[in-house]
Structures are given as C-alpha cells and as structure tokens.
Amino acid sequence: MRLLKVDTLDEAREKLLRATASKILQTETVHFTQSLGRVLADDLKSNENIPGFRKSTVDGYAVRAADTQGVTESIPVFLDVIEEVAIGSAPDKTVGPGQAVYVPTGGMLPEGADAMVMIEYCEKFDETSIAVYDAVSPGRNVISEGEDISRGQAFLKKGSRIRPQEVGVLSSAGVSRPEVFKPWKITIISTGDELVGADETPQKGQIRDINTYSVMASAMKHGFEIVDMKVLKDDEALLEAAVREAMETSDIVVASGGSSQGEKDHTADVMDRLSGGGVFTHGIALKPGKPTILGYDDKTETVMIGLPGHPAAALMVFELTAVWLYRQLTCQPEPKTTIAEITENVAAAGGRTTCLLVELEEQEPKDDVKRTGVCKAYPIFGKSGLMTTLTRADGYTMIDVNDEGLKEGQQIKVILF
Amino acid sequence: MRLLKVDTLDEAREKLLRATASKILQTETVHFTQSLGRVLADDLKSNENIPGFRKSTVDGYAVRAADTQGVTESIPVFLDVIEEVAIGSAPDKTVGPGQAVYVPTGGMLPEGADAMVMIEYCEKFDETSIAVYDAVSPGRNVISEGEDISRGQAFLKKGSRIRPQEVGVLSSAGVSRPEVFKPWKITIISTGDELVGADETPQKGQIRDINTYSVMASAMKHGFEIVDMKVLKDDEALLEAAVREAMETSDIVVASGGSSQGEKDHTADVMDRLSGGGVFTHGIALKPGKPTILGYDDKTETVMIGLPGHPAAALMVFELTAVWLYRQLTCQPEPKTTIAEITENVAAAGGRTTCLLVELEEQEPKDDVKRTGVCKAYPIFGKSGLMTTLTRADGYTMIDVNDEGLKEGQQIKVILF
C-alpha cells in the first residue's frame, strides 16, 4: 500500500481549479424555447428599451395628471375624449389640457398624457366627453419606456441558469438564440466483479450496479451530456482501454468502484499513466469519500475522477467535485441553501470534513412571536454503502474539518438535493 | 361589466380539487435510466433483501467476534485462514472457532463469521495463519442482509419525484421499468393584438409575446408535455376554435392575455360555453393574479385556466393553480421552503393573498452563538407587467389574506423558483 498525503476538500478543489484553468469551455447558441436549465455564457445586454413605449396597466383614460388635481368623488373634472387607442397601435393625437384618450390595458399612452385614470373612476358625460372622479399623480398606472429593461442594461448575467422567467425575458428582449455553455461530455465507468445489471438476478455475493446509474442521473440533472457508460470487470487493461477511449470523446471521465485496495490502485495508476502524471489528489479528507482520485490530462483537456465504490459516497463525491467544478467554471452561483436546526448532537469525523445527510421537517409558524418555525433537520446516519440513506435525505450539510461537531438545536445550512 | 364573487386562493384550489376529482390520471412505465424527474405512480416494494447477503465494508478477514475478545495491539490472537473469497463469489467454507476467511470490500461473508477485522490490524504469520491485533464486536464492518432494503419494504413512496439517488435505488432493487404518472398534455394559448414573435421587431404599441414561452418553460420544468402553443389575435371565434381543439388533445388548456376587460370576458365566456357551464372561478383574491378563470369540462376531462395577461402574474398564477393541482393529484409533497428574514415592513394587500417576490442573501455564520445567520429576504416590488421582477427573484412568500403584513426581521417561508 502506498502512503500518500490526503487533501482537504478545499485543497482538492483548489487543485482542480488550478489544473483545469486552461480548459476551454465551449459555447453554443440554442433557440430560447430550448434553453430551459441551460447556463448563459455571457452577459445579455439589450439594444432597446422594454417596453418600447409608455404602457398602460389598466383600462381607462390617458390624461394630464395636472388636470385632475383637486378632483374628488363629488367634484369631477370634465375632459374631451379625442381618440380611442387600439391595443397594439400607436396613438395619432397629442393630449392637451382638458383632453383625454381612451387606452386599454397594455396599450400605448399618447404624447402629452402622463397618467392613466381607471375606467371605474370615469363616466361618459356625452358623445365626446367624460367626467373623471379621481385625482392621479404623474406616472400613475403607467409603465414607462424602458422600465422593465433599459437600453444597454445587462438584464441577465453570465452564469445564470435559465428558469421559466428567464425564458420569458429572452422572448421579451428578442434574444431568440442566446449563447449558452455546451454541456460537458462525460463517460461513466463502473468496475467490479460483483456487479450485474439492473435486469439481472444477482447470485450470492453479487449486487446490481448502482453507481453507473446514480452518477448518470446526477450528470443529467446538472447539465452534462452522457457520452458513454461502461460496466467493467475489475481488470486494469479493460479500465485503461476505457479511460483512453473516454479521453478522446469526453470532457470528463469518472470511474467508480475500485472499492477494494487493489482496484483503487488500478484507477489511480491508469489515470496517472494516461495523463502523463496528471493525477494530483490521492484521497480527500472527507466522510464519506476518502478514496477519491483527481487528475487532469492537459493534452486532451480531460478531467479524471476516481470515485469511491460505496454508492452513497460515489454520488456525493461526484456532486462535490465534478458538478462543483463545472458550476465554478461556468460562473454559476453557489446553490441556495436552506436553514434548519439539527435535532441532536453530531460528532465530527476527526480530521475530515463530514458531509452529513439530513431529513427536513417543516415547523408550524409560531404565532405568538410572529416567527415562522425554522425547520428541523434529522441527521441520517448509516453506512456509505447504503443507498437508501440518500433516498431518505432531503439534503446535506457540511461539517468543517476544524469543527468539533454540531450541537442539538444549532442552525445549519442545508444544501437541498 | 359583470359583478362576480372573487374566490380566495384556498377556495379556488378547493373547487379545482373537487371539480377534477373524477379525472383519471394515466400512468406508464419507463426505463429507469429515463426516469429522472418523473413521479412514481405507486409505492415500490422489494421482493428481495438488498443486499442479498452479508457484505463486508472493508478489505480484511471475516472472523467470529468472540475469537477476538481481549485482543490488543500487543496481545494478538492467531487464526487459521481457510479461504480467500473473491469479490462477486460466494464463500465455500464455514468459519469455525480459531478460523478466518479473507474478504475484500463488498465481498460476501462466510457462514460462521459475524464480523470483519480490517486488514490494517492483521499480519501474515505464516502461509496459513494470521495474527489479529483488534477486538471487534459482532456486526463490525458488515452490512447485514436486507440492511439497505428488506423484503416487502416499501422503499419508495407513490408521489416521490425521482432524483439521482432514486435512480440508483431503482437499479439496486432491480426495478428496471418503474410505473410513473404520464405527464399532463397542455395547450398554451396567448391572445392579444399587441403581440409579436420573439424574432420580430415590435412597432410602437406592440410587445413581443412573453406569456406563451414563460408558461411553456414552467410547464416543461414541472413535467407537463407541450401539445400546442398558439398566439392569437384578440378574437372570440379564434379563441373558441383553439380551446375546442385543445379539449380534444390536452389534459389542460391555459389561455393568457385577455388583460383588458373585453378580452377577459371572452376567455370566461368561451371556456364556460365549451364546458357546458364548467367555469367555477371568475377571479381570485390574489395579488398579482386577480383576473384568473378556472373551469373543468367533465366530458373531455379538460382543466381550463384563464391566466392574467401581465407576464409576472401569468407565470405565478400558472404555478399556483395548474402546477399546484398536478402536484396534488399525483400525490407529490409540498415543495420544500427555505426560511428567511424579511428586510423591511411589507403591507398586505387588503382582502387579497399576496404573493411577494423576494431576493435572498445568505448570511455568514454568527460564530459567537454558534448559529448560522438566517438569510435575508429583500422584497421585490414592481408592477406585475414587469418580467424582470421575476428574473431578480430567488423565490416568493405568501402573505395570508388575513395577515396584516410582514414586519422587518420577521421570519418567512420562501418557496424557491
């Protein structure tokens, strides 16, 4: 057994960032209707004001606000109606003192007018005039030109993940083909003589393969493109061939399994050999997830990760390394966390950062103090070989390597799955 | 203008549930590798124990724990090694007193043994025996048969959304084709003479269509299947033809636009006529989102929703009605909320539930009291016609119709986008 220094999670991430600094992140344009969940590769600026005109938010009359000063429910002002604006059309006339123009919701205000009176406060007086029973201030019931997006404004930032509202804004601003990051191509390899497929019945000593599929699903969720998935017998030559092929086709190759010491050495050896000495992390001081290999091949720009064999550990480490790196390089903000109170004391793992799974329970608002109850976080203990610890979990919290643990009632930040 | 009673959000949802109680929710089976994000249509029970054998979590020797009692670093016990188990194979022999069997991580324990000693605490003594320097208790370093999932256990519940870890568990349990709810088929209609496409340059008084695409993206995000999207001029006959067609092809039809009173009446009239009087809600006491129409056609089992025309309101109301209903009917749990402190006083809208958009800012942990700072929620005010209020928002909170508003520093529950 080789004795190699283990990195802290922060050290390992630092090395990942340094090693991959020269990796080129490719971009592409996609039609905005296909852009949900994608990540913007550049700030988006608008060449125009949105809306491009002053827009009414109500059905009613465009007026000069000054004309309505002093008006009350019993003392109306009488205004001449000089035009009716149709929705989608520009008005022809300018509103002068004592004049008004009908504008429907979403319609364009005419020149001269500076406010809208809701139709509920107006009464037809005769064929050409109305009585107005409400005093409005300038700007009332009006969206001004450029109020949503002003010309030149960066209205969406590089690294933003596109949600439904961003799809709407892309349409609004006329950005029909935004530039987004290309998904990273990933090859997922699992090794182990004990693995059989999901459709097979395992014999004694065998288990159905888990890691290939949970890592695949996590990769899909986080916007990677699955190039290949391979389940291999534990054989160094097979692994080498698979990693070599992946280096030609993929941005990142992850190999899980190798849970026994011999296999672990295979993975590190193969990756280090093929990358010309590019493996820089031989273990992370992380619970679960110690047997993690990190490397990078400069020539093919391939990120290489050896994941722990235990299923829960493999999935967590994939998210804490591969997904974390991709989010960093594509300038995505940290995922939002939620605050919860831990329900019991939890000891930290000596000398290791602990990734603690938790189940959340929302609390009823505490009415007496007008405070919502912070939700409870029940720690989920369990061997990292148990996948159901992860299906019970709503998220996880990180206990720092220097922390002595968590105290019952302490507030923690939970990263939701 | 018709005077119709407006429902509270709770009343409207109650009516939706009652009206759609007889709607049949169809299910289908999908390959588990394609099941990410889908919702389980039934509890999943296991016909077998997972793992199906006692599994070692370490590289080492399977022993009878009793044989190691009293052992220390200086007083080893000597055991005869009678077999080496290969990973993926069943052992041939039974461990008797004074005997041990080598088992790699993930390998199967032989009969007779009840614990694993890590290889680090063992030393080869001669060709057939080892010295053991660690006392282990029964079950040490062993996952027992069925510890992950026991035979007959409902290991995943109806209504669960499938995440990466559930994909892994499906594989582990050999459920290669889980039964999931079919996505609802949706037709999205936007009406308005002022609307032009995202590729077009609006003239004065025109705007690019937003609602079609933001609602489409929200529908995609929440697992609906887009059957059709139509942008129509404001014409009752066109709307009627489109809704009629949607009733034949879709589970749900939403029509947005109709922001002016005349158009609003069109939508309600058309939906009520085509469903034979099936419209039951003519407005919700909700800010934003008052002009919302809800209905249901029994014959074609079509949910009908008229959304407000203002873009931010249209998207919020879609999520608070259509998405809410689908989640309810498919037994999905309420979305997780996060706790935050509101940064300023917010007045409630008199007589209406307020859906307040917020931007979240995480706080540094407060070390003195060992408490993580609850994140701050900045309220986003802005007219519901402004789409960028939604792109700035991380989520929203609901202020109850009976609540007098929020006080600065008060904790609120935020539903994240």
Side-chain angles (χ1 to χ4, degrees), chain B residues 278-331:
Chain B
V279 168
F280 45 79
T281 292
H282 290 84
I284 302 181
L286 181 67
K287 179 189 172 186
K290 189 157 171 276
T292 299
I293 311 292
L294 301 177
Y296 184 68
D297 178 55
D298 273 318
K299 288 189 302 297
T300 59
E301 296 189 5
T302 312
V303 179
M304 299 177 157
I305 302 186
L307 296 173
H310 290 310
L315 183 55
M316 287 308 311
V317 168
F318 179 73
E319 301 207 347
L320 293 173
T321 57
V323 172
W324 175 87
L325 178 65
Y326 184 69
R327 292 181 67 103
Q328 286 284 318
L329 295 184
T330 55
C331 305

Side-chain angles (χ1 to χ4, degrees), chain A residues 52 148 171 204 209 261 338 388 393, chain B residues 52 59 148 171 204 209 338 388:
Chain A
D148 205 0
S171 174
K204 286 288 176 196
D209 179 25
Q261 193 54 47
T338 194
T388 48
Chain B
D59 293 349
D148 205 0
S171 175
K204 286 289 176 196
D209 179 24
T338 195
T388 48

Side-chain angles (χ1 to χ4, degrees), chain A residues 53-58 61-63 85 89-91 93 95 101-104 106-116 139-143, chain B residues 205:
Chain A
F53 55 92
R54 294 183 305 150
K55 197 164 78 167
S56 173
T57 62
V58 297
Y61 288 89
V63 298
V85 177
S89 305
K93 298 194 177 146
V95 173
V101 162
Y102 177 79
V103 182
M108 178 174 174
L109 261 71
E111 291 293 314
D114 58 5
M116 288 292 301
R140 179 76 183 150
N141 299 324
V142 176
I143 290 176

Side-chain angles (χ1 to χ4, degrees), chain B residues 17-83:
Chain B
L17 280 184
R18 236 184 358 245
T20 58
S22 63
K23 180 166 173 64
I24 292 162
L25 282 157
Q26 297 187 314
T27 66
E28 60 187 337
T29 64
V30 292
H31 196 256
F32 78 101
T33 55
Q34 302 299 317
S35 67
L36 184 68
R38 302 298 296 267
V39 176
L40 283 176
D42 218 340
D43 287 358
L44 282 183
K45 287 193 177 139
S46 177
N47 297 322
E48 54 187 274
N49 284 321
I50 312 257
F53 55 92
R54 293 183 306 151
K55 197 164 78 167
S56 173
T57 63
V58 297
D59 293 349
Y61 288 90
V63 300
R64 299 165 77 102
D67 282 350
T68 68
Q69 292 321 298
V71 161
T72 68
E73 276 185 53
S74 49
I75 313 173
V77 63
F78 295 89
L79 301 176
D80 290 330
V81 178
I82 57 168
E83 187 181 3

Side-chain angles (χ1 to χ4, degrees), chain B residues 82-93:
Chain B
I82 57 168
E83 187 181 3
E84 290 212 1
V85 176
I87 184 98
S89 304
D92 292 325
K93 298 194 175 146

